[in-house]
Amino acid sequence: MSTTETITKAAPVTPVVDKTLANGFNGKDKVANPPQVQVNGTTKSGKKLNIRTYPKFDNLEDERLYRKQHLAAAFRVFADRGFDEGVAGHISVRDPILTDHFWLNPLSMHFSLIKVSDLILCDEDGDVVEGSEPVNAAAFAIHSQIHAARPDVHAACHAHSVHGKAFSAFGRELEMITQDACRFYRSHGVYRDFRGVVLDSEEGRRIAKALGGGKAVILQNHGLLTVGGSVDEAAFWFLSLERTCQAQLLADAASVAGYKKLLIDDDEAEYTSLQVGGPDKGWLAFQPYYDEQLAKTRGEFLN
């Protein structure tokens, strides 16, 4: 097998349950398409309770503002968790009006300071269309190719988080050792061709290939990258993937002492992934973090 055939491992598309199966898996009270949000949705009197969902907009200008506000919040959330490291790291969101353009962070601004007015709009060639600061060249090389390869992806996150970097050194996929890990069951790949800072579009295309149809890719010797249909979803997948890598490292360390890891079997992992790894769940799971930033900053990042 040639070298190029072994450097990447693409993530397959998230599995879809065969509706012809009786109640999904194992025949034990499981349905073919379980709800992504598990909630008691009514009061005792039968009144229906509101479940937060991605809003509907009267116009694309309103949706653009919403995406920028949640992008700015995502940077603040990342900063609070120490995902910043100098000028490394970037989050992008596709513009809903100029759909081949995307918004990014300015090159040298700390995540904790980013506001809506600081965001930079780039076109498909990497030229700044709106904003007065440059963007990270690696950010463009990676994000432009992911947005081009995946029309369903509206946002992508990459940062040099500690546990993500540590786990990436092994160049392997996660094991299904926890319920949260199942978010990434057959929905994450590994990019094994580390070549230093990503600066050319061809390497960006190879990373997009390793991502495949999944929601995340582990960049060997580099870190983590996640995507989603919204910046909220992509950001939450990153938060969860970082903690899942931490749990994996802890479990691996404990296993050296002779403790045996008990893996979740494929049927259960696949079914659980439908419950905890869908886009609606990803978007909703980020909302408490957004609310926290509103409260902590009194909405300062919205300016």
Side-chain angles (χ1 to χ4, degrees):
M1 183 177 289
S2 69
T3 302
T4 56
E5 289 177 308
T6 61
I7 58 175
T8 61
K9 185 170 183 179
V13 177
T14 303
V16 176
V17 178
D18 183 354
K19 294 184 179 181
T20 63
L21 294 177
N23 291 327
F25 294 97
N26 301 332
K28 294 182 179 179
D29 301 319
K30 293 182 177 179
V31 296
N33 291 292
Q36 294 181 34
V37 180
Q38 300 80 32
V39 64
N40 293 326
T42 57
T43 66
K44 188 174 182 179
S45 64
K47 178 183 177 181
K48 188 174 181 179
L49 299 173
N50 180 56
I51 302 172
R52 294 165 74 172
T53 58
Y54 190 87
K56 295 181 180 179
F57 301 93
D58 293 330
N59 56 71
L60 292 176
E61 287 77 11
D62 287 348
E63 184 165 13
R64 170 187 276 173
L65 178 59
Y66 176 90
R67 291 187 184 188
K68 292 172 68 178
Q69 289 173 338
H70 285 243
L71 176 58
F75 286 116
R76 302 294 184 104
V77 172
F78 276 32
D80 283 353
R81 282 146 188 84
F83 295 167
D84 56 291
E85 186 163 349
V87 297
H90 20 86
I91 308 175
S92 67
V93 67
R94 190 189 300 273
D95 187 81
I97 299 173
L98 305 170
T99 56
D100 57 354
H101 292 43
F102 49 93
W103 297 89
L104 283 162
N105 47 306
L107 175 64
S108 59
M109 182 170 286
H110 194 272
F111 286 178
S112 67
L113 302 177
I114 292 176
K115 304 187 297 293
V116 167
S117 58
D118 298 315
L119 298 172
I120 308 298
L121 181 65
C122 287
D123 66 13
E124 68 273 26
D125 297 317
D127 296 323
V128 173
V129 175
E130 187 172 324
S132 57
E133 298 289 336
V135 297
N136 189 308
F140 174 75
I142 296 172
H143 291 251
S144 62
Q145 298 307 312
I146 288 173
H147 284 290
R150 292 278 302 276
D152 60 309
V153 165
H154 290 165
C157 303
H158 169 62
H160 295 184
S161 54
V162 172
H163 300 103
K165 287 192 296 184
F167 185 72
S168 77
F170 297 102
R172 65 186 179 98
E173 294 181 357
L174 294 161
E175 294 175 321
M176 296 300 105
I177 57 174
T178 68
Q179 175 176 292
D180 293 336
C182 293
R183 292 189 176 113
F184 306 100
Y185 178 76
R186 293 188 179 177
S187 192
H188 72 291
V190 178
Y191 178 71
R192 296 190 172 92
D193 190 20
F194 177 74
R195 297 185 180 183
V197 178
V198 180
L199 295 176
D200 67 276
S201 58
E202 179 55 37
E203 186 164 9
R205 280 190 285 272
R206 291 196 296 270
I207 291 173
K209 182 179 179 181
L211 171 67
K215 60 169 65 76
V217 59
I218 296 167
L219 309 176
Q220 183 179 301
N221 306 114
H222 189 168
L224 308 176
L225 187 146
T226 59
V227 301
S230 66
V231 68
D232 310 67
E233 180 192 351
F236 179 72
W237 296 148
F238 193 98
L239 295 171
S240 181
L241 184 58
E242 165 69 8
R243 297 186 75 168
T244 301
C245 287
Q246 181 181 8
Q248 180 78 65
L249 291 167
L250 290 170
D252 288 349
S255 68
V256 174
Y259 296 100
K260 181 181 178 181
K261 286 181 289 187
L262 303 178
L263 304 185
I264 299 170
D265 68 45
D266 285 339
D267 281 355
E268 293 297 340
E270 184 173 22
Y271 191 80
T272 304
S273 73
L274 300 175
Q275 297 174 303
V276 301
D280 293 344
K281 190 65 165 283
W283 178 88
L284 181 63
F286 185 74
Q287 301 319 299
Y289 299 98
Y290 183 84
D291 295 344
E292 179 191 32
Q293 291 304 315
L294 280 177
K296 286 175 61 174
T297 70
R298 297 183 180 179
E300 185 263 343
F301 67 89
L302 300 175
N303 296 323

